[in-house]
Amino acid sequence: QEVARRASAFGMHLIAHDPFISEHVAQDLGIELLSIDELFARADYISLHMPSNASTRHIVNTQLLSHARKGIRLVNTARGDLIDENALADAIESGHVAGAALDVTDPEPLPADNPLLSLDNCLVVPHVGSASIATRTRMATLAADNITAFLSGQRPPTLVNPEVLSKG
């Protein structure tokens, strides 16, 4: 939703595929909801924002890319395994996809011989899309707070797996 708000500031016509957003919320954001096939057929730019699970692994594949609008640009800041990277490399090399920007890959980091790394119109960065100074400072502070609490026998404030403490 935040990407939609920012894109609308540039005057973009917003279309999306999101099975979890209500029509009411989509209308409030000025988004036209579509099937994923319709989205790829109509969009100039696509930014992926979805979880990685069995139904989304390689959701962006040869078939979907072949039905995409020629010249599409793809951004992935979600999860690397959403994209079949060989299919994306082929689509970029053929000119069907104009370019891609990938903050996440599968695996991370990509092997040096991955074809995406040799493409001038494919930007691959090492999962640092959130790497503002403020964000990294907050992450370091949270880590330090967790370590300090744990070492002093207290419950870490942002504990992800509480079962670990109960087993120790």
Side-chain angles (χ1 to χ4, degrees):
Q1 292 178 23
E2 188 59 35
V3 170
R5 285 185 190 93
R6 291 175 188 227
S8 67
F10 289 98
M12 290 182 163
H13 173 74
L14 304 177
I15 58 177
H17 170 72
D18 189 336
F20 302 106
I21 192 172
S22 71
E23 188 66 44
H24 175 72
V25 170
Q27 287 176 353
D28 286 349
L29 292 168
I31 298 171
E32 178 185 356
L33 292 177
L34 304 171
S35 72
I36 195 164
D37 292 327
E38 291 173 308
L39 174 71
F40 271 74
R42 290 181 45 194
D44 293 318
Y45 297 87
I46 292 183
S47 182
L48 299 177
H49 304 274
M50 63 182 71
S52 170
N53 58 44
S55 66
T56 61
R57 179 171 169 69
H58 289 180
I59 194 165
V60 178
N61 54 34
T62 300
Q63 180 180 356
L64 189 60
L65 289 169
S66 70
H67 293 101
R69 183 177 187 153
K70 184 170 175 43
I72 193 171
R73 289 165 177 84
L74 182 66
V75 176
N76 187 9
T77 59
R79 297 290 178 251
D81 69 352
L82 300 177
I83 297 176
D84 176 337
E85 291 166 355
N86 291 324
L88 178 59
D90 290 345
I92 292 172
E93 287 174 342
S94 75
H96 194 80
V97 170
L102 309 175
D103 184 49
V104 290
T105 58
D106 183 34
E108 285 183 354
L110 287 178
D113 63 346
N114 186 291
L116 292 173
L117 297 176
S118 65
L119 299 171
D120 290 338
N121 49 349
C122 184
L123 174 66
V124 180
V125 296
H127 205 150
V128 293
S130 68
S132 69
I133 292 171
T135 300
R136 294 298 177 177
T137 299
R138 180 70 179 133
M139 290 168 67
T141 301
L142 283 172
D145 290 347
N146 279 308
I147 292 167
T148 302
F150 179 78
L151 292 175
S152 64
Q154 298 173 349
R155 180 184 175 91
T158 55
L159 186 62
V160 175
N161 190 353
E163 291 81 34
V164 171
L165 288 182
S166 64
K167 293 178 184 175

